[in-house]
Amino acid sequence: MPQESRITREDLEFDRLHIWHPYSSVTDPPPVWPVAGAEGCRIRLADGRELVDGMASWWSVIHGYNHPRLNRAALDQINGFSHVMFGGLTHKPAIGLCRRLVDLTPEGLDRVFICDSGSVAVEVAIKMALQYQHARGRPEKHRLVTIRNGYHGDTFAAMSVCDPVTGMHSIFSGALPKQFFAPAPQTPFSGDFHEDDIAELAGIIAEHHGEIAALILEPVVQGAGGMRFYSPRYLARARELCDRYGLLLIADEIATGFGRTGRMFACEHAGISPDIICLGKAMTGGYLSLAATLCTGEVARTVCAGAAGCFMHGPTFMANPLACRIACESIDLLLESPWQEKIAAMEERMRAGLAPCSLLPAVKDVRVLGGIGVVELARTPDFRRLQESLVDRGVWVRPFGRLVYIMPPYVISDEELDTLTAAMVETLTGLD
Ligand code: PMP
């Protein structure tokens, strides 16, 4: 192992005293496990233990770690050029990526804005919607409507459309734009949809469409806001409401995109196209942060016919060639693989593997869709104990609130998947 990657006791002490981890306290930091390497679906800890990865590093590492083709693409691009500014310049990695995205995404989405992270992709989508309405002579349509239990990122506009309770809007209320919230959809993915489920959203839109630019939601799967799967019929009705009342539909497919729900994009379950789509996470196979916001030609042309004459955004690292090149390779790897069969097999195996959880007293619900397996507990568990006992069983599964969930790399073997689900069953059996 290279000297630089060896972690000492002092390093860990420095980490504890100086480094913020996601959503963590600096005064009472939760434990962190030092990583020495990662390969395929395994994460190797500094003490030599190997963990089977159930998280795909938060939906992103779909092809597994240390993939020879992604490594080769990265090295090849580094040996050419890692970065050039995108203002006034262009390059093959960006063109290649945008070609692939225009081809793959639902019909009509043919203008691509490449940006740095999922949260920024959401900011970009919201700005596009506002500039669009402004350019149509409707500047008063500057608010958003969304559904509760959503998660769209950690920057301010993105936060403003996250669930107000889990997103702790009370802390930021003075600074956050005020948006409209409808109840979260209640009809499960395969449930019978009734119009009642969308009545409140329809009511808000009917009453306030004059001030609303767009509806933003995570299609079919609400991720970090509750790992909830809802009926594609709801999404199809939401599309109709947007059309009827002159709202743009923004689909946040940052978590669901690139096959995770069993379709390339979750919108396909409902057979709809949004006006704007946000992509990220799995786009580079988890190698680098990169995201994209695509919109229709009509949205793009209207934005550019407005007062600014352009879209008002342009980050320093826009379309970073290294990240774009890896994204092209990651998308090719996905398309060359039998990903539909693989996800369907994962779904079936997870469903069987997690079924014993539904008999446990601590468990409220077990649900599986595509490559996502969720166990929802009745009460919030002792997070540290739960996390430690999962690691002790040789798996990397990161519980969140009352949710213990997995979305493994697509290349996971049957045995590795069984290890993950068995470890979850055993760990949760110990809970009261
Ligand atoms: N939208 C959704 C649906 C997400 O799941 C996430 C990340 N968890 C984001 C937006 C924000 O992406 P990022 O963390 O890359 O900013």
Side-chain angles (χ1 to χ4, degrees), residues 51 117 122 137 186 209 235 281 310:
L51 306 180
S117 71
V122 170
Q186 297 302 312
H209 61 93
L235 183 58
K281 288 190 183 282
C310 65

Side-chain angles (χ1 to χ4, degrees), residues 45-342:
L45 298 181
D47 63 10
R49 283 185 292 171
E50 267 195 356
L51 306 180
V52 176
D53 177 33
M55 305 305 291
S57 283
W58 279 333
W59 316 79
S60 66
V61 181
I62 54 175
H63 307 298
Y65 299 88
N66 208 355
H67 195 287
R69 268 185 55 188
L70 297 179
N71 289 0
R72 223 176 302 125
L75 288 172
D76 194 47
Q77 189 59 42
I78 286 174
N79 288 328
F81 56 104
S82 294
H83 185 63
V84 289
M85 62 187 277
F86 209 48
L89 300 173
T90 195
H91 44 77
K92 188 78 178 181
I95 296 167
L97 174 60
C98 294
R99 261 197 220 288
R100 287 166 175 82
L101 295 180
V102 168
D103 279 354
L104 274 184
T105 49
E107 210 185 322
L109 297 163
D110 60 12
R111 291 282 171 170
V112 192
F113 190 98
I114 314 175
C115 47
D116 332 40
S117 71
S119 301
V120 175
V122 170
E123 298 287 326
V124 162
I126 292 173
K127 282 172 76 172
M128 272 179 190
L130 298 191
Q131 273 195 248
Y132 171 82
Q133 301 292 4
H134 192 276
R136 287 173 68 227
R138 302 298 307 274
E140 69 286 0
K141 278 168 81 75
H142 64 263
R143 295 175 71 187
L144 296 155
V145 61
T146 187
I147 50 180
R148 287 181 188 268
N149 285 97
Y151 177 80
H152 297 283
D154 290 341
T155 50
F156 267 84
M159 252 202 315
S160 78
V161 285
C162 289
D163 185 87
V165 178
T166 55
M168 299 290 294
H169 280 195
S170 52
I171 301 174
F172 306 100
S173 58
L176 276 185
K178 280 248 169 295
Q179 316 292 17
F180 292 102
F181 287 90
Q186 297 302 312
T187 315
F189 181 78
S190 305
D192 284 336
F193 178 80
H194 295 289
E195 191 62 19
D196 296 355
D197 199 13
I198 203 163
E200 260 190 75
L201 177 65
I204 293 172
I205 294 177
E207 190 175 346
H208 298 284
H209 61 93
E211 24 175 344
I212 302 177
L215 165 65
I216 180 167
L217 43 68
E218 296 154 278
V220 177
V221 173
Q222 294 189 290
M227 300 299 287
R228 303 175 75 257
F229 310 147
Y230 68 89
S231 167
R233 281 291 304 142
Y234 184 100
L235 183 58
R237 283 289 292 123
R239 171 74 273 182
E240 286 166 16
L241 288 167
C242 288
D243 290 341
R244 173 155 173 216
Y245 289 103
L247 272 57
L248 295 179
L249 177 62
I250 303 174
D252 178 350
E253 293 240 20
I254 288 162
T256 49
F258 302 104
R260 180 56 72 178
T261 68
R263 299 290 183 95
M264 185 57 82
F265 298 101
C267 282
E268 294 171 22
H269 289 288
I272 59 126
S273 285
D275 302 290
I276 301 177
I277 196 170
C278 303
L279 307 174
K281 288 190 183 282
M283 198 159 79
T284 60
Y287 265 54
L288 281 170
S289 180
L290 189 73
T293 305
L294 283 83
C295 69
T296 62
E298 198 255 325
V299 169
R301 281 189 300 276
T302 307
V303 161
C304 298
C310 65
F311 178 56
M312 291 294 289
H313 211 92
T316 306
F317 287 98
M318 184 167 178
N320 171 258
L322 179 55
C324 288
R325 175 71 186 274
I326 296 169
C328 292
E329 195 70 16
S330 174
I331 292 171
D332 290 349
L333 266 175
L334 181 63
L335 296 178
E336 289 163 23
S337 73
W339 61 272
Q340 288 101 328
E341 289 104 274
K342 182 66 202 178

Side-chain angles (χ1 to χ4, degrees), residues 352-403:
L354 293 177
C357 288
S358 48
L359 303 173
L360 301 175
V363 171
K364 185 175 166 209
D365 188 37
V366 179
R367 45 189 183 266
V368 175
L369 179 69
I372 313 166
V374 183
V375 180
E376 182 175 341
L377 303 177
R379 285 189 283 133
T380 307
D382 177 339
F383 166 78
R384 290 179 196 215
R385 259 187 52 207
L386 192 58
Q387 175 78 88
E388 270 160 19
S389 88
L390 287 159
V391 169
D392 288 345
R393 287 184 164 84
V395 298
W396 182 242
V397 176
R398 180 118 178 118
F400 177 67
R402 289 189 296 110
L403 302 167

